[in-house]
Amino acid sequence: MVTLICTSNKNKSREFKSFFSGNFEVYCLDDVSRLNLYPYSSPEEDSNSFIVNGIAKLLATLSYIYKNKNAWDLKFNKIVVDDSGLLVPDLGYIPGVHSAIFSGLPRSDDRNNKLLISKINESHLGKKYGESDKRLKAFYSCFLFTMNIPTDLEKIKFIHEIDFSKSSQLVNSDHIHDKFLPLIEKSLLEKTDLDKIQGYFFERVKMMNLSHKFPDNLFIDLHYGYCCGEVSTKEVIPQNGIYFGYDSIFYSNANTSMPFSMFTLDEKNKTSHRAIAMKKLKETI
């Protein structure tokens, strides 16, 4: 099974490759970029929906594969797209879908963490574990979108006609209708149990329901994984370790005494939102 993971994020690439090592041939965008004739163009993720942003990236990747179908010896069987974020219910579910750019562009984990810490401090809610450790309940969500690539790529030739520059423009256009998408996302997020360590749900979306142009046997499998805990005003940055995003202020229910930034990659691959989603995805491949 030759799989293309649609990410250029080196930290995410490391997690995916570590998890899928063994019988899976896994490539990320950086691995194949030197081989292509047509570069990958990532949509601006300006939608307020994880699912809309994810499907926009998935279709942009499908278009990328179609345009480069004669440039590679690689024959991809499956696309995997990740869209994830941190949500703090007591703060209106921020930073949510905009987790990566919470403090604006260019992206900065440091600025994002400082902004969220200031929001926690301003809140009259939460628990105090010490002078510098005020916490609110939070959860990481991971939406993994997977699609089997048609063996006959000419069946999705129309894909190159779609404008992927902004994910918000993709839906309710001549190409994609989002009648079902907000309902699916709302349902999944509402099922999140904040008292659990992690959880998982699955949905299958028939592409023909989004556009009649797609073959009737083409589906998007949506693997929703989450892990719960607390976000803190106390940031822990280790001298060594693999961490990113809000890991330095997120304390998982699995271990409330230390943040994700102190977890080893192996520990994180057992506990995180992406880990549970990847585990279930791996079982289906």
Side-chain angles (χ1 to χ4, degrees), residues 268-281:
K268 195 174 178 183
N269 276 347
K270 294 176 182 175
T271 309
S272 77
H273 52 310
R274 193 170 293 110
I276 185 65
M278 287 193 294
K279 177 182 177 183
K280 295 296 185 179
L281 183 156

Side-chain angles (χ1 to χ4, degrees), residues 217-232:
N217 62 344
L218 196 60
F219 299 88
I220 295 175
D221 284 344
L222 175 53
H223 303 265
Y224 170 62
Y226 66 86
C227 70
C228 302
E230 299 168 320
V231 283
S232 171

Side-chain angles (χ1 to χ4, degrees), residues 7 22 47 51 77 100 125 130 145 166-167 170 207 232 254 277 283:
T7 184
S47 170
I51 292 183
N77 306 110
L125 302 169
F145 305 82
K166 293 187 177 184
S167 56
L170 180 63
M207 287 301 294
S232 171
E283 290 172 359

Side-chain angles (χ1 to χ4, degrees), residues 10-28:
K10 295 187 186 303
N11 291 303
K12 284 187 180 182
S13 296
R14 189 183 294 112
E15 276 193 39
F16 275 111
K17 288 181 178 180
S18 172
F19 202 89
F20 284 103
S21 62
N23 299 325
F24 299 90
E25 194 173 348
V26 176
Y27 296 87
C28 295

Side-chain angles (χ1 to χ4, degrees), residues 19-246:
F19 202 89
F20 284 103
S21 62
N23 299 325
F24 299 90
E25 194 173 348
V26 176
Y27 296 87
C28 295
L29 291 174
D30 285 347
D31 299 325
V32 297
S33 61
R34 65 186 184 282
L35 305 173
N36 57 226
L37 294 173
Y38 300 93
Y40 176 77
S41 179
S42 179
E44 179 183 341
E45 297 174 45
D46 62 337
S47 170
N48 290 321
S49 163
F50 286 107
I51 292 183
V52 170
N53 283 340
I55 288 180
K57 287 190 288 186
L58 189 149
L59 295 180
T61 307
L62 194 62
S63 175
Y64 173 65
I65 289 173
Y66 176 80
K67 290 176 181 177
N68 287 290
K69 62 184 184 295
N70 296 320
W72 302 327
D73 292 332
L74 296 168
K75 299 298 180 185
F76 291 106
N77 306 110
K78 187 179 286 287
I79 302 170
V80 178
V81 169
D82 158 82
D83 204 37
S84 54
L86 178 72
L87 299 98
V88 187
D90 284 339
L91 296 181
Y93 291 88
I94 64 169
V97 69
H98 303 298
S99 291
I101 55 169
F102 185 44
S103 61
L105 293 170
R107 297 183 180 192
S108 168
D109 288 347
D110 181 58
R111 287 202 321 271
N112 289 342
N113 279 280
K114 283 181 169 55
L115 178 57
L116 186 54
I117 287 172
S118 71
K119 298 290 185 184
I120 299 168
N121 276 322
E122 291 168 8
S123 169
H124 65 280
L125 302 169
K127 299 178 182 178
K128 295 205 77 173
Y129 292 80
E131 270 311 303
S132 62
D133 191 359
K134 180 181 178 182
R135 300 186 188 184
L136 291 175
K137 284 192 172 184
F139 66 98
Y140 269 119
S141 66
C142 174
F143 292 84
L144 284 185
F145 305 82
T146 66
M147 174 186 285
N148 289 328
I149 300 170
T151 53
D152 182 3
L153 286 175
E154 293 307 312
K155 289 185 177 180
I156 48 96
K157 184 178 180 178
F158 75 94
I159 200 87
H160 76 277
E161 302 170 359
I162 300 178
D163 178 10
F164 296 109
S165 57
K166 293 187 177 184
S167 56
S168 62
Q169 294 177 353
L170 180 63
V171 295
N172 293 323
S173 64
D174 292 335
H175 301 288
I176 299 294
H177 306 290
D178 72 341
K179 178 180 178 181
F180 307 102
L181 303 184
L183 296 176
I184 294 172
E185 183 166 325
K186 183 173 184 291
S187 172
L188 290 173
L189 291 176
E190 287 178 348
K191 291 177 182 178
T192 303
D193 186 343
L194 292 175
D195 293 322
K196 295 180 68 174
I197 293 174
Q198 62 182 182
Y200 167 83
F201 297 100
F202 172 82
E203 292 282 346
R204 170 165 280 188
V205 179
K206 192 170 186 176
M207 287 301 294
M208 187 171 274
N209 288 341
L210 302 180
S211 172
H212 67 277
K213 294 183 179 181
F214 287 103
D216 62 1
N217 62 344
L218 196 60
F219 299 88
I220 295 175
D221 284 344
L222 175 53
H223 303 265
Y224 170 62
Y226 66 86
C227 70
C228 302
E230 299 168 320
V231 283
S232 171
T233 53
K234 180 181 180 180
E235 188 170 17
V236 179
I237 301 175
Q239 290 184 338
N240 299 301
I242 299 169
Y243 70 95
F244 58 98
Y246 299 88

